[in-house]
Amino acid sequence: MKKLVGLLFILLVLVGCTETTVREGTMHEKKLGMSLLEKKLFAIEEAEPDYFTAGVNPDTGLYTVDNETSMLVYVNKYRELPEGYTPPDLIEANVRHYSPAGDNRRLLREEAARGLETLFGVAKTDGHALVAVSGYRSYERQRAIYESNVASKGQAHADQFSAKPGASEHQTGLAMDVTVQGNDDVLLNQSFGNTEAGQYIKEQAHKYGFIIRYPEGKETITGYSYEPWHLRYVGEDVATEIYHNEWTLEEYFGFDYPGSER
Ligand SMILES: [Zn+2]
């Protein structure tokens, strides 16, 4: 018991030391012994409801999502995946691929891969030979892409066209860039949206659980340029709701997007 009292005394002295180092702020803050940085993050967290985030990562300033394995995981320029996240059930969709056999870009999470197979199969019977270009991308690969874009085109350009490592939808294993066979001019090009295949997926993809994640005219909401080739799996119900309302994922959740007031 004496030992415990002694320990409590030492702890009180230590807490006292912390208090004396905090010169500004309210009593509440002094009690918590918070640094200015922590105080700021705490204020943001208190003002925002909890939409599946584990709080703010002090290294990046982004919210870290805590539902990373959900089909509705939501990442954008404010929201990143937990460090080191690798999707649990990546498989190669049984469709035509642009990348060579064994390439990670062929991978998607299983449910999304099944949806892609169905979409591509139906598209084929309707006369559109779709090709899967780029699916899963690891944190390390995204970091290399981002850093190379910053080096060659500058920070602002890189932020408009590519995601920071941890904040790419491709890391979720739920996104696939697609194109049409035999027309490399439209490969990862906005002109893909004007092709028959591009129009087809815009109108049909939701039936198989996919949305066009970065639509035309919604750039200030998504924070990304128009990408008619970037499909994101969210499941059939949510994709259909988003399609009929002409929403983005940001608008579906109704909060916290780069174009919104903060
Ligand atoms: Zn993409």
Side-chain angles (χ1 to χ4, degrees):
M1 189 64 194
K2 260 188 185 170
K3 261 188 189 168
L4 186 63
V5 172
L7 187 64
L8 277 173
F9 179 71
I10 292 166
L11 278 174
L12 282 170
V13 169
L14 284 174
V15 170
C17 289
T18 312
E19 276 198 54
T20 58
T21 61
V22 179
R23 301 226 167 88
E24 292 173 21
T26 63
M27 276 309 292
H28 177 62
E29 284 158 2
K30 281 185 187 173
K31 238 197 248 167
L32 292 172
M34 295 168 86
S35 72
L36 276 178
L37 178 66
E38 283 167 338
K39 194 173 83 180
K40 194 170 154 232
L41 298 179
F42 185 73
I44 293 170
E45 254 320 270
E46 266 197 337
E48 301 259 345
D50 177 23
Y51 293 108
F52 303 112
T53 77
V56 174
N57 176 350
D59 293 333
T60 62
L62 305 183
Y63 288 99
T64 305
V65 304
D66 63 5
N67 65 336
E68 61 273 15
T69 59
S70 165
M71 294 298 137
L72 289 178
V73 61
Y74 168 40
V75 298
N76 61 20
K77 289 183 176 174
Y78 287 147
R79 301 164 59 89
E80 65 182 5
L81 294 162
E83 206 178 332
Y85 174 65
T86 305
D89 51 1
L90 292 169
I91 61 163
E92 185 176 313
N94 186 20
V95 297
R96 187 185 299 275
H97 289 274
Y98 194 84
S99 55
D103 194 301
N104 269 359
R105 284 173 289 187
R106 290 183 169 218
L107 302 177
L108 278 179
R109 292 192 58 195
E110 187 169 5
E111 188 177 327
R114 298 295 171 235
L116 195 78
E117 288 166 357
T118 312
L119 169 64
F120 277 29
V122 177
K124 193 175 179 189
T125 64
D126 288 338
H128 305 286
L130 298 176
V131 182
V133 179
S134 189
Y136 173 64
R137 196 180 292 159
S138 69
Y139 178 94
E140 291 71 24
R141 171 97 183 109
Q142 186 65 31
R143 182 168 60 190
I145 290 171
Y146 180 77
E147 286 175 357
S148 141
N149 280 341
V150 170
S152 64
K153 294 179 175 148
Q155 184 87 44
H157 187 278
D159 284 339
Q160 173 71 11
F161 291 94
S162 63
K164 290 197 168 105
S168 169
E169 273 213 327
H170 286 279
Q171 200 188 328
T172 67
L174 298 172
M176 179 61 83
D177 297 331
V178 304
T179 193
V180 62
Q181 199 184 356
N183 186 358
D184 273 2
D185 289 349
V186 300
L187 178 67
L188 305 185
N189 189 295
Q190 289 180 346
S191 60
F192 173 67
N194 300 325
T195 64
E196 282 182 18
Q199 289 293 315
Y200 182 86
I201 59 162
K202 185 183 171 208
E203 300 303 329
Q204 302 297 323
H206 65 278
K207 296 176 183 170
Y208 313 98
F210 289 93
I211 59 169
I212 306 290
R213 179 68 177 87
Y214 308 117
E216 192 166 25
K218 303 270 190 173
E219 295 83 353
T220 57
I221 293 174
T222 62
Y224 283 89
S225 297
Y226 171 45
E227 293 192 4
W229 61 83
H230 180 111
L231 292 177
R232 158 67 198 267
Y233 186 82
V234 289
E236 192 185 325
D237 291 347
V238 173
T240 300
E241 192 179 347
I242 287 176
Y243 170 78
H244 285 298
N245 287 289
E246 298 185 5
W247 281 337
T248 60
L249 201 54
E250 279 71 21
E251 292 162 297
Y252 173 78
F253 285 110
F255 61 91
D256 191 25
Y257 53 80
S260 66
E261 290 288 319
R262 285 173 71 84

